[in-house]
Amino acid sequence: MKIILASESPRRIELLKMSGINFQSQSSDIDEDFLVEKILNKKESKNFYSMAEEITMCLAYEKANYIYEKYKNNKNLLVIGSDTLVVKDDKILGKPKNFEEAKSMLIGLCGKTHRVYTSVCMISNKKIDSFSDYTEVTFHEFNEITEQIIDMYIKTKSPFDKAGSYGIQDMGSLLVKKIDGDYYTVMGFPISKVYRKIKSET
């Protein structure tokens, strides 16, 4: 079976490689901002947890479908799309646009518990299989040490390609006090579930 990961995220590629799955990776050229705004604008009830789940499910599908449409003549094809968002209180946190936004996001997460939603969509010629999961993450209180970590972390530029401005697998881990749920959901790819679903297809 030809397996394509509809992402060039180093984290997702690393996790899928770790599982021993033979695959290719390609990024999907979709307008994520347009799709997110479309969902946000149609929602009358502002339940940000359900909105984050719907947004990540939509984007995971659109990413996978974009690649699937390119190769759908291959009857032995499986495409995997994934998307991740961070939700704090009444706000959905995507990727920061600049240094100031990244710092503001990270300070806002300090001393609080937030959710990280990751959705996965797997498309083959047989079916479309989607699922969503979340993990609760609690940050340490904001203090002098935490601020030093945040400033050092942002200087690495690592936060700029991550929802919520942090990755739990890099220096962002220094901000995390505890998690409740799947660590790899926070990384953006719940590899245990993905692996089992791939094996059920192959």
Side-chain angles (χ1 to χ4, degrees), residues 2-44:
K2 181 183 180 71
I3 299 173
I4 302 177
L5 175 65
S7 171
E8 291 190 345
S9 159
R11 298 169 297 283
R12 293 183 178 120
I13 290 172
E14 174 190 353
L15 289 172
L16 203 50
K17 280 184 177 178
M18 178 189 73
S19 71
I21 298 292
N22 186 24
F23 70 99
Q24 300 173 10
S25 61
Q26 292 186 36
S27 61
S28 298
D29 186 17
I30 64 170
D31 189 339
E32 295 189 31
D33 291 338
F34 172 79
L35 293 168
V36 170
E37 285 301 316
K38 187 176 178 182
I39 292 172
L40 292 176
N41 290 335
K42 79 173 184 178
K43 282 287 187 181
E44 295 179 4

Side-chain angles (χ1 to χ4, degrees), residues 23-151:
F23 70 99
Q24 300 173 10
S25 61
Q26 292 186 36
S27 61
S28 298
D29 186 17
I30 64 170
D31 189 339
E32 295 189 31
D33 291 338
F34 172 79
L35 293 168
V36 170
E37 285 301 316
K38 187 176 178 182
I39 292 172
L40 292 176
N41 290 335
K42 79 173 184 178
K43 282 287 187 181
E44 295 179 4
S45 174
K46 299 296 183 182
N47 181 326
F48 287 87
Y49 292 142
S50 65
M51 286 168 64
E53 182 174 349
E54 183 175 349
I55 289 169
T56 54
M57 289 281 279
C58 171
L59 293 181
Y61 167 77
E62 293 293 342
K63 290 174 183 179
N65 191 58
Y66 179 89
I67 300 298
Y68 182 79
E69 287 296 320
K70 291 173 66 175
Y71 300 99
K72 63 182 178 181
N73 289 335
N74 185 333
K75 299 304 180 185
N76 201 27
L77 174 67
L78 177 65
V79 182
I80 307 166
S82 185
D83 192 73
T84 302
L85 282 176
V86 172
V87 187
K88 181 186 76 71
D89 301 329
D90 59 350
K91 193 170 185 180
I92 294 174
L93 305 179
K95 299 172 184 176
K97 296 181 176 63
N98 50 49
F99 179 98
E100 290 75 18
E101 189 172 4
K103 185 166 184 176
S104 176
M105 279 190 196
L106 292 172
I107 291 175
L109 294 173
C110 289
K112 299 177 181 178
T113 298
H114 61 272
R115 288 185 181 182
V116 181
Y117 280 83
T118 293
S119 293
V120 176
C121 179
M122 304 171 70
I123 303 179
S124 68
N125 66 318
K126 299 177 186 176
K127 63 180 180 179
I128 298 173
D129 187 4
S130 298
F131 69 89
S132 185
D133 200 4
Y134 73 85
T135 293
E136 293 192 334
V137 182
T138 303
F139 269 24
H140 286 281
E141 297 287 339
F142 183 75
N143 55 30
E144 185 178 342
I145 294 175
T146 308
E147 186 170 24
Q148 289 174 356
I149 293 168
I150 289 172
D151 288 340

